[in-house]
Amino acid sequence: MGKVRILILGGTTEARALAAALARRVDLDVVLSLAGRTADPAPQPVPVRSGGFGGAEGLARYLRDEAVDLVVDATHPFAARISANAARAAGECDVPAFALRRPAWAPVEGDDWLSVHSVSQAVTALGNAPLRVFLATGRQEAHQANAAPHHHYWVRSVDPVEPPLTAPHVDYIHGRGPFRLEDELDMLQRHAIQVVVAKNSGGDATYGKIEAARRLSIKVIMVERAETAGLPVVETVEAALGPIDHFISSRMKRGV
Ligand SMILES: NC(=O)c1ccc[n+]([C@@H]2O[C@H](COP(=O)([O-])OP(=O)(O)OC[C@H]3O[C@@H](n4cnc5c(N)ncnc54)[C@H](OP(=O)(O)O)[C@@H]3O)[C@@H](O)[C@H]2O)c1
């Protein structure tokens, strides 16, 4: 029996962790796919391909050309387009697929959250009085803050925000998670932040700011995920190993 070819759609801590868990398996041939947006991406434990596929059609072509046996969509919970494309392309090519998606955070006692459905809604919800805002929504959507230029923003991203915001009071913080609670407490206090704007990404790597906001009684405007239909979902790397092994054993039974 040949090796099982797995395509992991990545760009997340979980994708890297799953790749690490599969990297040494001699029965697998794993490729991790990145969108190619980050100038200096984190090193990965398996071979990487980079850049868009060209929509669902392009991804379907890739699955056929590369004879991919199994797709794991381990992209970010807010990366909706690639996830929809993965579901469509896998369906078209009859390639088994599932998503590895960390559960969303839920508020706990002491949290002061306002839930909204987009970064633009979050910026509107900041209101008319000028505030000191930590904007942790990522580089791609930071420009929404230009609509409310009366606030002072601290914008954190892995790569520089290009072009910079047109809002007059903006400080840029460059950093790649995971972020430690102590550092987040220090950062929020140092800049006297009054509101945190965050995406409900889930996971541990970026939860520090949420916990820090709770401890400092700072309000969080939380951009919630859109409901997505599509692939079956597992929530942890450990849980992702089950369907992979199930796929391999059913293939062995069929003698493929
Ligand atoms: N959105 C976030 O908040 C966020 C946060 C952290 C990390 N990320 C990561 O950053 C990447 C881009 O996110 P996004 O929100 O821009 O995604 P998106 O809106 O769902 O995707 C836009 C396009 O980027 C390409 N693409 C996205 N992920 C890809 C991957 N893993 N491999 C190859 N092509 C990919 C696809 O291009 P084609 O149609 O040409 O194939 C897709 O149609 C994702 O890999 C995601 O996991 C996103």
Side-chain angles (χ1 to χ4, degrees):
M1 196 180 84
K3 289 188 177 197
V4 171
R5 293 173 69 81
I6 300 182
L7 175 67
I8 302 175
L9 300 168
T12 58
T13 315
E14 288 74 14
R16 193 162 72 238
L18 178 62
L22 302 178
R24 291 194 189 169
R25 291 202 21 188
V26 292
D27 54 341
L28 305 179
D29 191 357
V30 181
V31 171
L32 191 137
S33 175
L34 298 176
R37 306 268 170 74
T38 306
D40 180 22
Q44 300 288 343
V46 297
V48 169
R49 67 152 306 282
S50 185
F53 295 96
E57 298 75 19
L59 179 52
R61 203 173 317 117
Y62 179 93
L63 298 182
R64 288 193 203 99
D65 291 351
E66 298 295 323
V68 171
D69 295 305
L70 180 65
V71 175
V72 184
D73 169 19
T75 56
H76 191 270
F78 280 82
R81 255 190 299 161
I82 185 71
S83 293
N85 290 350
R88 216 179 103 195
E92 261 174 45
C93 299
D94 215 10
V95 171
F98 66 93
L100 165 56
R101 190 143 303 132
R102 43 182 122 126
W105 300 313
V108 300
E109 200 179 331
D111 279 331
D112 177 12
W113 288 15
L114 173 70
S115 288
V116 295
H117 295 291
S118 66
V119 176
S120 131
Q121 268 186 16
V123 169
T124 305
L126 289 169
N128 295 328
L131 291 171
R132 300 169 71 86
V133 182
F134 176 49
L135 191 64
T137 54
R139 177 171 64 111
Q140 294 188 75
E141 292 191 83
H143 294 95
Q144 305 281 356
N146 290 333
H150 49 291
H151 304 297
H152 189 149
Y153 297 99
W154 280 260
V155 178
R156 183 164 67 195
S157 59
V158 176
D159 286 314
V161 178
E162 286 294 346
L165 271 58
T166 55
H169 310 294
V170 184
D171 285 270
Y172 296 95
I173 305 172
H174 293 139
R176 191 200 302 269
F179 300 103
R180 295 180 332 142
L181 173 64
E182 298 72 39
D183 297 334
E184 299 293 60
L185 282 165
D186 176 62
M187 183 268 301
L188 294 179
Q189 285 175 301
R190 197 157 16 99
H191 302 306
I193 296 296
Q194 295 168 291
V195 184
V196 172
V197 177
K199 285 177 173 170
N200 195 337
S201 300
D204 297 333
T206 59
Y207 189 66
K209 61 179 179 277
I210 307 301
E211 192 171 343
R214 181 190 316 134
R215 292 202 188 183
L216 299 171
S217 301
I218 294 174
K219 187 182 197 73
V220 176
I221 302 186
M222 187 64 85
V223 182
E224 300 293 350
R225 306 168 178 192
E227 286 299 317
T228 50
L231 299 174
V233 177
V234 299
E235 294 187 340
T236 62
V237 170
E238 295 68 42
L241 301 177
I244 291 173
D245 286 334
H246 177 75
F247 173 78
I248 293 168
S249 60
S250 65
R251 202 166 99 139
M252 279 169 80
K253 275 188 206 137
R254 284 183 282 125
V256 189

